Amino acid sequence: MAATSIPVLWGGDLPATLDFYRTLGYEVTYEQTRPYTAGMVTRDGFSVYFGPTPKDFDNAEQAYISALVIVDEVESWHQEFTASLRARYGRIPARGIPRITRFRPGQTRFTVVDPVGNSIIYIQRDEPDPEYGGARSLEGLARVMDNARIFRDSKNDDANAVRVLETGLRRFAATAPALDRARALAMLAEIAIAAEDSARVAELGTRMAELDLSAEDRAALAAELQALTALESWLTDES
């Protein structure tokens, strides 16, 4: 017998919540205000139901209210949502509530937080299982960066990504290749850009400039630096 599972999230200001999901291309298939608020949105074969927000609560994010959506092409979803949110707000809502998390090539998931604080995490269908602590096939600072990537890209935990990167840079300062150190600093710079910490970005740029990188290293690092430029554009471009 076939079965369907539908996540239930908080409704908050239901008309505003449903309108937000319309912006993301969802169709509102049900809306009720009495005797209690309830609503449902649908797109691409799945639905999300919104029930009443519990009394004495007004922020679903603090209560970890969330859902997972498995998709075939996660990057295209992020691109579509980015365009729709920019058109609505005149900018990308990357901080606060509502917001969409950043995305880089090769990433396998991102999160949208709605006006109530509900989180929906969109995940690539063939996402590999992460090796927490870093892939065992890697060593030294390369393994540290892989662990930081999991915090940054999969868990949206920039604070822990920074912690493991700074610890790794100190631990492997004398043994890690200059290119690996540059890549680690670039990862830290990306997080600083997302936090709009210009002083930190400048400091990390100085640390990168002080590294003895070969022409080959600089060519290999170019993609990381391009990702920083792309993030700055994503955060600042306005419709």
Side-chain angles (χ1 to χ4, degrees):
M1 180 180 295
T4 300
S5 176
I6 300 176
V8 179
L9 307 181
W10 291 2
D13 179 348
L14 187 62
T17 300
L18 297 180
D19 189 52
F20 177 81
Y21 283 90
R22 285 190 187 96
T23 297
L24 300 180
Y26 286 80
E27 176 189 359
V28 175
T29 56
Y30 183 73
E31 183 173 1
Q32 168 187 301
T33 57
R34 293 183 180 179
Y36 56 87
T37 58
M40 184 178 291
V41 296
T42 301
R43 70 164 287 171
D44 294 270
F46 67 89
S47 299
V48 181
Y49 181 88
F50 299 95
T53 297
K55 292 182 179 179
D56 302 322
F57 289 93
D58 58 8
N59 189 325
E61 186 172 26
Q62 294 175 352
Y64 302 103
I65 306 300
S66 62
L68 308 180
V69 175
I70 309 301
V71 300
D72 290 327
E73 298 290 342
V74 69
E75 185 171 1
S76 65
W77 283 70
H78 190 269
Q79 291 172 347
E80 178 190 339
F81 288 173
T82 290
S84 297
L85 291 169
R86 181 184 286 119
R88 172 165 180 168
Y89 295 104
R91 59 176 178 81
I92 300 300
R95 304 181 73 182
I97 297 176
R99 71 177 180 276
I100 183 172
T101 59
R102 64 193 187 276
F103 191 91
R104 61 164 35 232
Q107 198 168 317
T108 56
R109 60 174 62 192
F110 69 92
T111 301
V112 174
V113 180
D114 69 19
V116 192
N118 299 303
S119 294
I120 297 185
I121 305 170
Y122 297 85
I123 303 173
Q124 182 78 26
R125 189 175 304 279
D126 57 357
E127 179 185 67
D129 291 332
E131 291 188 58
Y132 292 105
R136 293 173 180 81
S137 60
L138 301 174
E139 296 181 352
L141 188 56
R143 184 169 178 178
V144 169
M145 286 189 287
D146 190 62
N147 188 32
R149 175 188 57 78
I150 294 168
F151 282 117
R152 180 193 66 186
D153 296 348
S154 297
K155 300 178 73 66
N156 293 321
D157 188 347
D158 284 345
N160 266 319
V162 169
R163 178 183 60 79
V164 299
L165 285 168
E166 289 287 17
T167 299
L169 282 165
R170 289 192 297 270
R171 180 180 177 187
F172 298 106
T175 58
L179 178 58
D180 280 355
R181 283 179 281 154
R183 283 175 166 155
L185 291 169
M187 290 181 73
L188 288 169
E190 179 182 328
I191 294 169
I193 289 170
E196 300 179 357
D197 187 345
S198 58
R200 173 72 163 158
V201 174
E203 173 215 335
L204 292 163
T206 298
R207 289 168 67 180
M208 276 190 276
E210 291 171 348
L211 295 174
D212 185 16
L213 296 172
S214 67
E216 187 177 73
D217 288 340
R218 294 183 188 281
L221 186 63
E224 298 296 328
L225 300 181
Q226 178 57 39
L228 302 185
T229 301
L231 176 59
E232 287 181 312
S233 296
W234 184 76
L235 290 168
T236 58
D237 280 357
E238 297 182 354
S239 59

